[in-house]
PDB file of all heavy atoms in Angstrom:
ATOM      1  N   VAL A 113      15.691  20.794  16.265  1.00  0.00           N
ATOM      2  CA  VAL A 113      16.419  19.695  15.640  1.00  0.00           C
ATOM      3  C   VAL A 113      15.433  18.913  14.793  1.00  0.00           C
ATOM      4  O   VAL A 113      14.428  18.417  15.286  1.00  0.00           O
ATOM      5  CB  VAL A 113      17.056  18.777  16.697  1.00  0.00           C
ATOM      6  CG1 VAL A 113      17.739  17.589  16.041  1.00  0.00           C
ATOM      7  CG2 VAL A 113      18.014  19.569  17.570  1.00  0.00           C
ATOM      8  N   ASP A 126      11.646  -9.315  -9.713  1.00  0.00           N
ATOM      9  CA  ASP A 126      10.531  -9.877 -10.479  1.00  0.00           C
ATOM     10  C   ASP A 126       9.732 -10.890  -9.670  1.00  0.00           C
ATOM     11  O   ASP A 126       8.676 -11.340 -10.107  1.00  0.00           O
ATOM     12  CB  ASP A 126      11.034 -10.501 -11.776  1.00  0.00           C
ATOM     13  CG  ASP A 126      12.007 -11.644 -11.559  1.00  0.00           C
ATOM     14  OD1 ASP A 126      12.777 -11.583 -10.581  1.00  0.00           O
ATOM     15  OD2 ASP A 126      12.009 -12.591 -12.354  1.00  0.00           O
ATOM     16  N   GLY A 151      13.596  -4.873 -14.987  1.00  0.00           N
ATOM     17  CA  GLY A 151      14.689  -3.952 -15.241  1.00  0.00           C
ATOM     18  C   GLY A 151      14.253  -2.756 -16.065  1.00  0.00           C
ATOM     19  O   GLY A 151      14.671  -1.625 -15.804  1.00  0.00           O
ATOM     20  N   ALA A 158      14.139   5.290 -12.766  1.00  0.00           N
ATOM     21  CA  ALA A 158      15.406   5.984 -12.522  1.00  0.00           C
ATOM     22  C   ALA A 158      15.557   7.220 -13.404  1.00  0.00           C
ATOM     23  O   ALA A 158      16.232   8.173 -13.018  1.00  0.00           O
ATOM     24  CB  ALA A 158      16.575   5.031 -12.739  1.00  0.00           C
ATOM     25  N   ASP A 164      18.430   7.221  -3.422  1.00  0.00           N
ATOM     26  CA  ASP A 164      19.744   7.158  -2.802  1.00  0.00           C
ATOM     27  C   ASP A 164      20.430   5.810  -2.983  1.00  0.00           C
ATOM     28  O   ASP A 164      21.659   5.732  -3.019  1.00  0.00           O
ATOM     29  CB  ASP A 164      19.632   7.471  -1.303  1.00  0.00           C
ATOM     30  CG  ASP A 164      19.063   8.865  -1.097  1.00  0.00           C
ATOM     31  OD1 ASP A 164      19.732   9.829  -1.500  1.00  0.00           O
ATOM     32  OD2 ASP A 164      17.952   8.982  -0.544  1.00  0.00           O
ATOM     33  N   LEU A 172      17.560 -10.535 -13.124  1.00  0.00           N
ATOM     34  CA  LEU A 172      16.303 -10.133 -13.756  1.00  0.00           C
ATOM     35  C   LEU A 172      16.263 -10.612 -15.200  1.00  0.00           C
ATOM     36  O   LEU A 172      17.244 -10.450 -15.938  1.00  0.00           O
ATOM     37  CB  LEU A 172      16.162  -8.603 -13.733  1.00  0.00           C
ATOM     38  CG  LEU A 172      15.840  -7.972 -12.392  1.00  0.00           C
ATOM     39  CD1 LEU A 172      15.923  -6.457 -12.500  1.00  0.00           C
ATOM     40  CD2 LEU A 172      14.469  -8.380 -11.909  1.00  0.00           C
TER      41      LEU A 172
END
Side-chain angles (χ1 to χ4, degrees):
V113 177
D126 61 326
D164 300 296
L172 287 172

